[in-house]
Coordinates of all heavy atoms in Angstrom, one line a residue:
Chain B
F1324 N 77.9 -64.2 30.6 CA 78.9 -65.2 31.0 C 79.2 -65.2 32.4 O 79.6 -64.2 32.9 CB 80.2 -65.0 30.2 CG 80.1 -65.2 28.7 CD1 79.7 -64.1 27.9 CD2 80.3 -66.4 28.1 CE1 79.6 -64.3 26.5 CE2 80.2 -66.6 26.7 CZ 79.9 -65.5 25.9
L1325 N 79.0 -66.3 33.1 CA 79.4 -66.5 34.5 C 80.5 -67.5 34.6 O 80.4 -68.6 34.0 CB 78.2 -67.0 35.4 CG 77.0 -66.1 35.4 CD1 75.9 -66.7 36.3 CD2 77.3 -64.6 35.7
E1326 N 81.7 -67.1 35.2 CA 82.8 -67.9 35.2 C 83.1 -68.5 36.6 O 82.8 -67.8 37.6 CB 84.1 -67.1 34.8 CG 84.0 -66.4 33.4 CD 84.1 -67.4 32.3 OE1 84.7 -68.4 32.4 OE2 83.6 -67.0 31.2
C1327 N 83.6 -69.7 36.6 CA 83.9 -70.4 37.9 C 85.2 -71.1 37.7 O 85.5 -71.8 36.7 CB 82.8 -71.4 38.2 SG 83.1 -72.4 39.6
M1336 N 82.2 -80.4 38.2 CA 81.8 -79.0 38.5 C 80.3 -78.9 38.2 O 79.7 -79.6 37.3 CB 82.7 -78.0 37.7 CG 84.2 -78.1 38.1 SD 85.1 -76.8 37.3 CE 84.6 -75.4 38.3
W1338 N 76.7 -76.1 38.2 CA 76.1 -74.8 38.4 C 74.7 -75.0 38.9 O 73.9 -75.8 38.4 CB 76.0 -74.1 37.0 CG 77.2 -73.3 36.6 CD1 78.2 -73.7 35.7 CD2 77.6 -72.1 37.2 NE1 79.2 -72.7 35.6 CE2 78.9 -71.8 36.5 CE3 77.1 -71.2 38.1 CZ2 79.6 -70.6 36.9 CZ3 77.8 -70.1 38.5 CH2 79.0 -69.7 37.8
Y1351 N 73.3 -77.4 35.2 CA 74.2 -78.2 34.5 C 75.3 -78.8 35.4 O 75.7 -78.1 36.4 CB 74.9 -77.5 33.3 CG 74.2 -77.5 32.0 CD1 73.3 -76.5 31.6 CD2 74.3 -78.6 31.1 CE1 72.7 -76.5 30.4 CE2 73.7 -78.6 29.9 CZ 72.8 -77.5 29.5 OH 72.2 -77.5 28.3
F1352 N 75.8 -79.9 35.0 CA 77.1 -80.3 35.6 C 78.0 -80.9 34.6 O 77.6 -81.3 33.5 CB 76.8 -81.2 36.8 CG 76.9 -82.7 36.5 CD1 78.1 -83.4 36.9 CD2 75.9 -83.4 35.9 CE1 78.2 -84.7 36.6 CE2 76.0 -84.7 35.6 CZ 77.1 -85.4 36.0
S1353 N 79.3 -80.9 35.0 CA 80.3 -81.5 34.1 C 81.2 -82.5 34.8 O 81.6 -82.1 35.9 CB 81.2 -80.3 33.5 OG 82.3 -80.8 32.9
D1355 N 83.9 -84.0 33.3 CA 85.2 -84.0 32.7 C 85.3 -82.9 31.8 O 84.3 -82.3 31.4 CB 85.5 -85.4 32.1 CG 86.9 -85.7 31.9 OD1 87.8 -84.8 32.1 OD2 87.2 -86.8 31.5
V1356 N 86.5 -82.6 31.3 CA 86.7 -81.5 30.3 C 85.9 -81.9 29.1 O 85.9 -83.0 28.6 CB 88.2 -81.4 29.9 CG1 88.4 -80.4 28.8 CG2 89.0 -81.0 31.1
K1357 N 85.2 -80.9 28.6 CA 84.3 -81.0 27.4 C 83.1 -81.9 27.6 O 82.3 -82.1 26.7 CB 85.1 -81.4 26.2 CG 86.2 -80.4 25.8 CD 86.7 -80.7 24.4 CE 88.0 -79.9 24.0 NZ 87.6 -78.4 23.9
M1358 N 82.9 -82.4 28.8 CA 81.8 -83.3 29.0 C 80.8 -82.5 29.9 O 81.2 -81.8 30.8 CB 82.2 -84.6 29.8 CG 83.3 -85.4 29.0 SD 82.9 -85.8 27.3 CE 81.7 -87.1 27.6
K1359 N 79.5 -82.6 29.6 CA 78.5 -81.9 30.3 C 77.2 -82.7 30.4 O 77.0 -83.6 29.4 CB 78.2 -80.5 29.7 CG 77.7 -80.6 28.3 CD 77.6 -79.3 27.7 CE 77.1 -79.4 26.2 NZ 77.1 -78.1 25.6
Y1368 N 70.0 -71.9 29.3 CA 71.4 -71.9 29.7 C 72.2 -72.9 28.9 O 71.7 -73.8 28.3 CB 71.5 -72.3 31.2 CG 70.7 -71.6 32.2 CD1 69.5 -72.0 32.6 CD2 71.2 -70.4 32.7 CE1 68.7 -71.3 33.5 CE2 70.5 -69.7 33.6 CZ 69.3 -70.1 34.0 OH 68.5 -69.4 34.9
S1369 N 73.5 -72.6 28.8 CA 74.4 -73.5 28.2 C 75.7 -73.4 29.1 O 75.9 -72.5 29.9 CB 74.7 -73.2 26.7 OG 75.3 -71.9 26.6
V1370 N 76.6 -74.3 28.9 CA 77.8 -74.4 29.6 C 79.1 -74.7 28.8 O 78.9 -75.2 27.6 CB 77.8 -75.4 30.8 CG1 76.8 -74.9 31.9 CG2 77.4 -76.8 30.3
S1371 N 80.2 -74.4 29.3 CA 81.5 -74.7 28.6 C 82.5 -75.1 29.6 O 82.7 -74.5 30.6 CB 81.9 -73.5 27.8 OG 83.2 -73.7 27.3
R1372 N 83.2 -76.2 29.3 CA 84.3 -76.6 30.1 C 85.5 -77.0 29.2 O 85.6 -78.2 28.8 CB 83.9 -77.8 31.0 CG 85.0 -78.0 32.1 CD 84.5 -78.8 33.2 NE 85.5 -79.0 34.2 CZ 85.5 -80.0 35.1 NH1 84.5 -80.9 35.0 NH2 86.4 -80.1 36.0
E1373 N 86.3 -76.1 28.9 CA 87.4 -76.3 28.0 C 88.7 -76.7 28.8 O 89.6 -77.3 28.3 CB 87.7 -75.0 27.2 CG 86.6 -74.6 26.3 CD 86.4 -75.6 25.2 OE1 87.4 -76.2 24.7 OE2 85.2 -76.0 24.9
K1374 N 88.8 -76.3 30.1 CA 89.9 -76.7 31.0 C 89.3 -77.3 32.2 O 88.1 -76.9 32.6 CB 90.7 -75.5 31.3 CG 91.5 -74.9 30.1 CD 92.4 -73.8 30.5 CE 93.2 -73.3 29.3 NZ 94.2 -72.2 29.7
K1375 N 90.0 -78.1 32.9 CA 89.5 -78.9 34.0 C 89.1 -77.9 35.1 O 88.2 -78.2 35.9 CB 90.6 -79.8 34.5 CG 90.1 -80.8 35.5 CD 91.2 -81.9 35.9 CE 90.5 -82.9 36.8 NZ 91.6 -83.9 37.2
E1376 N 89.8 -76.8 35.3 CA 89.6 -75.9 36.5 C 88.5 -74.9 36.2 O 88.2 -74.2 37.2 CB 90.9 -75.3 36.9 CG 91.4 -74.2 35.8 CD 92.3 -74.8 34.8 OE1 92.3 -76.1 34.7 OE2 93.1 -74.1 34.2
R1377 N 88.0 -74.8 35.0 CA 87.1 -73.7 34.7 C 85.8 -74.2 34.1 O 85.8 -75.1 33.2 CB 87.8 -72.8 33.7 CG 87.1 -71.5 33.4 CD 87.9 -70.6 32.4 NE 89.2 -70.3 33.0 CZ 89.4 -69.2 33.7 NH1 88.5 -68.3 33.9 NH2 90.7 -68.9 34.2
F1378 N 84.7 -73.7 34.6 CA 83.4 -74.1 34.2 C 82.5 -72.8 34.0 O 82.4 -72.1 34.9 CB 82.7 -75.0 35.2 CG 81.5 -75.7 34.7 CD1 81.4 -76.2 33.4 CD2 80.5 -76.1 35.6 CE1 80.2 -76.9 33.0 CE2 79.4 -76.8 35.2 CZ 79.2 -77.2 33.9
S1379 N 82.1 -72.6 32.8 CA 81.3 -71.3 32.5 C 79.9 -71.6 32.2 O 79.5 -72.6 31.6 CB 81.9 -70.7 31.2 OG 83.3 -70.4 31.4
L1380 N 79.1 -70.7 32.8 CA 77.6 -70.8 32.5 C 77.3 -69.6 31.6 O 77.7 -68.5 31.8 CB 76.9 -70.6 33.8 CG 75.3 -70.7 33.7 CD1 74.8 -72.0 33.3 CD2 74.7 -70.2 35.1
I1381 N 76.5 -69.9 30.6 CA 76.2 -68.9 29.6 C 74.7 -68.8 29.5 O 73.9 -69.8 29.4 CB 76.8 -69.3 28.2 CG1 78.3 -69.5 28.3 CG2 76.4 -68.3 27.1 CD1 78.8 -70.5 27.4
E1383 N 72.2 -67.4 27.0 CA 72.3 -66.9 25.6 C 71.6 -65.6 25.3 O 72.0 -64.8 24.6 CB 71.7 -68.1 24.7 CG 72.5 -69.4 24.8 CD 73.9 -69.3 24.1 OE1 74.1 -68.3 23.3 OE2 74.7 -70.2 24.4

Side-chain angles (χ1 to χ4, degrees):
Chain B
F1324 293 87
L1325 302 182
E1326 304 284 337
C1327 176
M1336 296 188 75
W1338 275 106
Y1351 267 98
F1352 96 102
S1353 168
D1355 201 350
V1356 175
K1357 297 190 188 295
M1358 307 304 286
K1359 61 186 178 186
Y1368 303 95
S1369 61
V1370 290
S1371 172
R1372 193 163 179 206
E1373 297 296 319
K1374 293 185 177 181
K1375 191 175 185 179
E1376 67 271 18
R1377 189 177 298 268
F1378 192 34
S1379 302
L1380 180 69
I1381 303 150
E1383 297 291 343

